Amino acid sequence: IALEEIRDHGTDAATDGRSANMEIIIHPGVHDVLFCRGGNMDHAGNNEFRSVVLSNLHAYANSGTHEQKQEIRGEIIEWVRTRGGKFLELDKSRGWWLEIKSEKTIQKKIAAAIYEENRKAKARQSQQQSNSSTVQFLTQNKRRKIGGCCHV
């Protein structure tokens, strides 16, 4: 997007700290990963990203050091980039996407995504265990009181 178009939107990219280190994207690509507040984005790049994060949850959880975790996050970054994807953040006030250039910022966002997917996986596992316990309880051969007398 041209600087004149940015100025037409009421912003001078040279004085905007975030825009100065980020590239403006109007139409994200299919392999781009979109970060914005409010939860999951139904976007092809995010769905691919989520699959890669899920496939790395076990290795990430079992990695012992910060460096090992950082390496896994780096592999995820590389995977997205080799497919032609970028990491984008929504600028809600202007209505466009900004490419995140900072490796540290991307690493933090991936760490947050891994944490969130791990939390969801644990919740699903807990729900499955709870459901199976409930089913066992309901199917047990218990005495039922019917009409004032007990039947087995």
Side-chain angles (χ1 to χ4, degrees):
I1 187 167
L3 185 57
E4 293 79 29
E5 291 180 61
I6 295 170
R7 286 194 176 118
D8 287 344
H9 284 91
T11 301
D12 184 352
T15 61
D16 184 349
R18 289 191 331 153
S19 297
N21 195 25
M22 298 181 175
E23 179 183 335
I24 294 171
I25 308 290
I26 302 298
H27 302 289
V30 295
H31 298 296
D32 292 342
V33 178
L34 311 178
F35 292 108
C36 68
R37 293 183 180 247
N40 295 336
M41 294 281 301
D42 189 22
H43 175 71
N46 285 52
N47 294 336
E48 293 171 345
F49 173 72
R50 200 170 298 112
S51 294
V52 171
V53 166
L54 286 171
S55 69
N56 282 284
L57 278 183
H58 184 71
Y60 194 83
N62 291 328
S63 59
T65 65
H66 174 73
E67 289 76 21
Q68 290 172 328
K69 291 180 187 298
Q70 190 172 12
E71 183 179 332
I72 292 169
R73 292 190 307 262
E75 290 170 3
I76 294 172
I77 292 169
E78 186 62 29
W79 184 87
V80 169
R81 288 183 174 156
T82 57
R83 299 174 58 76
K86 299 175 184 176
F87 294 91
L88 308 178
E89 184 173 50
L90 181 63
D91 183 337
K92 283 188 176 182
S93 65
R94 297 180 185 115
W96 56 51
W97 295 93
L98 300 171
E99 182 179 0
I100 304 169
K101 301 277 188 174
S102 165
E103 199 76 16
K104 186 176 180 180
T105 301
I106 295 169
Q107 285 265 346
K108 284 182 181 179
K109 290 191 175 286
I110 291 174
I114 291 171
Y115 174 82
E116 183 63 21
E117 289 301 327
N118 191 36
R119 187 189 63 76
K120 288 178 185 177
K122 285 181 180 179
R124 282 190 299 270
Q125 184 179 15
S126 176
Q127 181 65 34
Q128 288 172 348
Q129 289 173 349
S130 174
N131 285 346
S132 64
S133 298
T134 303
V135 169
Q136 288 175 1
F137 175 76
L138 292 175
T139 58
Q140 286 178 349
N141 191 8
K142 294 277 187 180
R143 292 179 159 201
R144 292 179 290 159
K145 191 173 183 178
I146 301 174
C149 65
C150 294
H151 295 277
V152 178

